[in-house]
């Protein structure tokens, strides 16, 4: 069975500060891991994904995530937060050959000026 | 290129009614999947279709059903609506199943309210 756990349903940072959103996964098969962002009244947009190539994955809008097998983690980071980063972020896991995503419960990021 | 189109955008129904939601994938995409998003349960997988065949199904009661047509458009149906079915229903499409190699594109969703 596969699952993801996102620690912290709400994260608040100041503009310009480091953003760190935590995700831990559980999977009995090699996982493929994703981070999605959702802005109000919109669908989900892919930020980045890990598919067993490089463990450090760079995504859109300056975000990156590192796959750490020993820690079963895939935390999302951004060196400097921008007001436009305020949104809900979802970590998700899947396995080979499917579009079925198992999502975490989401982390709402607030950015203060 | 048009994105994933979901209709209607908003829907209000009463308990016991049934509802049909529609999803038109991006042109050339043959894989469609559906998700339910609620504040309490988060995002949960409903179905996955490819070439008119259901490949995967989530843990939902039989009141939830879906289908895919030969033009890759998909519908999902919920019968005997319950208050707990109130949710944002999201559709996503990709060219082929297997998002390790493909990118999944999401629609803006249909917001269903059951009164």
């Amino acid at each position: 069975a596969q699952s993801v756990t996102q620690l912290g349903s709400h994260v608040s940072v100041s503009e310009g500060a480091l953003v760190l959103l935590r995700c831990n996964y559980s999977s009995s098969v090699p996982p493929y891991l994703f981070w999605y962002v959702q802005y109000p009244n919109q669908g989900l947009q892919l930020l980045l994904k890990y598919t067993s190539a490089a463990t450090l994955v760079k995504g859109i809008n300056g975000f990156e995530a590192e796959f750490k097998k020993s820690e079963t983690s895939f935390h999302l980071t951004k060196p400097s937060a921008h007001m436009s980063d305020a949104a809900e972020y979802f970590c998700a896991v899947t396995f080979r050959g499917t579009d079925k995503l198992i999502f975490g419960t989401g982390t709402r990021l607030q950015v203060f000026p | 290129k048009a994105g994933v189109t979901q209709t209607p955008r908003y829907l209000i129904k009463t308990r016991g009614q049934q509802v049909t939601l529609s999803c038109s994938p991006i042109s050339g995409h043959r894989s469609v999947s559906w998700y339910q998003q609620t504040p309490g349960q988060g995002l949960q997988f409903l179905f996955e279709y490819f070439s008119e065949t259901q490949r995967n199904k989530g843990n939902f009661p039989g009141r939830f059903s879906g289908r895919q047509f030969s033009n890759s458009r998909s519908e999902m149906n919920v019968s005997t609506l319950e208050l707990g079915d109130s949710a944002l229903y999201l559709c996503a499409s990709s060219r082929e199943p297997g998002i390790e190699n493909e990118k999944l594109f999401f629609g803006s969703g249909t917001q269903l309210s059951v009164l």
Side-chain angles (χ1 to χ4, degrees):
Chain A
Q2 295 184 307
S3 65
V4 290
T5 302
Q6 291 184 243
L7 296 175
S9 58
H10 290 82
V11 170
S12 297
V13 300
S14 298
E15 192 172 21
L18 171 72
V19 176
L20 171 60
L21 305 183
R22 299 178 186 275
C23 173
N24 288 88
Y25 70 91
S26 173
S27 179
S28 55
V29 296
Y32 298 111
L33 293 156
F34 302 78
W35 276 99
Y36 283 87
V37 61
Q38 186 177 34
Y39 298 99
N41 300 314
Q42 293 186 28
L44 296 159
Q45 182 182 3
L46 179 68
L47 279 175
L48 49 80
K49 65 179 180 181
Y50 166 76
T51 57
S52 74
T55 56
L56 181 62
V57 182
K58 294 187 184 297
I60 62 171
N61 302 339
F63 284 94
E64 64 181 37
E66 187 171 9
F67 173 72
K68 292 187 177 180
K69 187 176 179 180
S70 61
E71 299 177 8
T72 61
S73 68
F74 191 58
H75 302 329
L76 182 71
T77 60
K78 182 174 181 177
S80 177
H82 193 272
M83 297 294 289
S84 61
D85 294 328
E88 188 147 24
Y89 292 80
F90 293 92
C91 181
V93 65
T94 190
F95 50 90
R96 185 183 180 87
T98 180
D99 284 4
K100 176 182 176 180
L101 284 163
I102 308 299
F103 284 94
T105 50
T107 298
R108 185 166 297 278
L109 175 66
Q110 286 186 302
V111 182
F112 293 100
Chain B
K1 200 173 190 181
V4 178
T5 304
Q6 292 188 245
T7 56
R9 184 70 178 91
Y10 300 94
L11 205 48
I12 299 175
K13 293 285 187 179
T14 55
R15 280 183 301 172
Q17 287 186 310
Q18 77 164 22
V19 67
T20 299
L21 311 182
S22 179
C23 172
S24 294
I26 290 173
S27 178
H29 285 198
R30 296 190 294 155
S31 182
V32 173
S33 49
W34 289 88
Y35 294 84
Q36 182 197 62
Q37 185 176 20
T38 60
Q41 299 296 319
L43 279 153
Q44 292 188 288
F45 170 79
L46 280 158
F47 321 100
E48 177 188 0
Y49 288 92
F50 177 67
S51 293
E52 303 178 66
T53 301
Q54 188 179 91
R55 299 182 76 243
N56 278 300
K57 187 178 190 302
N59 188 25
F60 280 82
R63 300 185 297 106
F64 290 80
S65 63
R67 58 179 175 169
Q68 186 180 33
F69 301 96
S70 58
N71 62 358
S72 296
R73 190 177 70 86
S74 177
E75 289 181 347
M76 65 163 283
N77 184 278
V78 187
S79 62
T80 320
L81 283 166
E82 300 178 359
L83 295 179
D85 297 333
S86 294
L88 179 67
Y89 290 88
L90 291 167
C91 171
S93 75
S94 66
R95 288 183 302 177
E96 305 274 344
I99 49 176
E100 69 273 19
N101 297 316
E102 297 288 335
K103 186 174 178 182
L104 197 63
F105 291 84
F106 281 83
S108 297
T110 293
Q111 183 67 54
L112 172 65
S113 297
V114 182
L115 306 178

